[in-house]
Amino acid sequence: MGVRIRNSGTDAWTFVKMEVRIEGVLWGTWQGTQKISDLSASAIEFTRTVSAYQYRITYSIWSNANARTTDAQYAKISGTKGETVEKQCEANFNVINQDVTCILFSDVDIGYYRCVTLRTGGSDGIDLTQIAVRVNGTLVHTIVKPEGTNFIGLDNSESKNFCKDRKLTKPLYIEFSKNPVSQF
């Protein structure tokens, strides 16, 4: 992990210690002596200080009085390299027409995000209009209520898996050879 610092002025800077914080979480430190001369730039590599990844899920609770819940809510995040264990969200879901944020920390590097699995822990359901998932502060998935419905519902210890659409994010190129390939 590193940072590039650019001095656009005519006063040289000398650093002896730096910290990188992402949404208040200390992610890296650097200590030493690094001078950045006038009108120049320098890259500084940091030592990672935490092994935890931050997974943030924002639940947008519907405005209906029955949309809220007092039951525990659970989440699990999965990606190309693995998945977190299911963890309980430490938040108050007994509200309506509000966003509730659940922050989970895990030592698991999931790789590229794929899915979030949400589970309600009892028979008191929860109704959501939107779910947003962030990994280390970056928005990676937004789930919205299906068209023609008022909410996404979870009830009676139900678990739902929400996976990101696997559309191509880069153009697909197919190269054709001038020489035909013989058939076998």
Side-chain angles (χ1 to χ4, degrees):
M1 173 173 49
V3 66
R4 184 170 169 80
I5 300 173
R6 183 171 185 264
N7 180 354
S8 60
T10 55
D11 259 345
W13 300 339
T14 301
F15 295 94
V16 293
K17 183 179 179 182
M18 263 190 245
E19 295 180 345
V20 174
R21 292 185 181 270
I22 300 172
E23 294 190 352
V25 177
L26 179 64
W27 283 92
T29 61
W30 176 85
Q31 197 161 349
T33 303
Q34 177 75 37
K35 183 176 180 180
I36 302 176
S37 301
D38 301 351
L39 305 170
S40 67
S42 183
I44 298 174
E45 292 297 317
F46 285 83
T47 302
R48 190 170 175 165
T49 58
V50 295
S51 60
Y53 294 87
Q54 183 188 74
Y55 302 101
R56 179 184 296 250
I57 305 156
T58 302
Y59 298 70
S60 296
I61 301 177
W62 187 36
S63 60
N64 184 288
N66 294 319
R68 62 181 161 211
T69 187
T70 57
D71 285 341
Q73 301 301 306
Y74 300 87
K76 178 171 62 172
I77 308 287
S78 61
T80 57
K81 290 184 180 178
E83 66 183 21
T84 67
V85 296
E86 181 184 74
K87 293 193 176 190
Q88 182 176 346
C89 295
E90 300 295 330
N92 177 13
F93 293 91
N94 193 18
V95 296
I96 61 169
N97 203 29
Q98 292 182 33
D99 288 346
V100 175
T101 300
C102 169
I103 300 173
L104 306 173
F105 290 95
S106 174
D107 289 340
V108 176
D109 176 6
I110 63 163
Y112 291 105
Y113 169 87
R114 283 197 177 150
C115 303
V116 61
T117 303
L118 302 180
R119 181 173 68 85
T120 188
S123 59
D124 183 16
I126 187 168
D127 300 327
L128 309 167
T129 56
Q130 181 173 294
I131 304 157
V133 181
R134 286 181 166 74
V135 176
N136 293 333
T138 301
L139 180 65
V140 294
H141 194 186
T142 302
I143 301 115
V144 295
K145 63 184 177 62
E147 195 172 320
T149 65
N150 291 323
F151 58 86
I152 302 163
L154 283 167
D155 206 359
N156 296 322
S157 300
E158 183 178 22
S159 180
K160 283 189 180 174
N161 198 29
F162 301 95
C163 292
K164 194 169 184 177
D165 189 2
R166 294 178 135 197
K167 292 180 183 174
L168 289 175
T169 56
K170 294 181 181 177
L172 176 64
Y173 294 99
I174 301 173
E175 187 175 315
F176 293 95
S177 172
K178 291 182 180 180
N179 301 325
V181 177
S182 61
Q183 294 194 3
F184 44 102

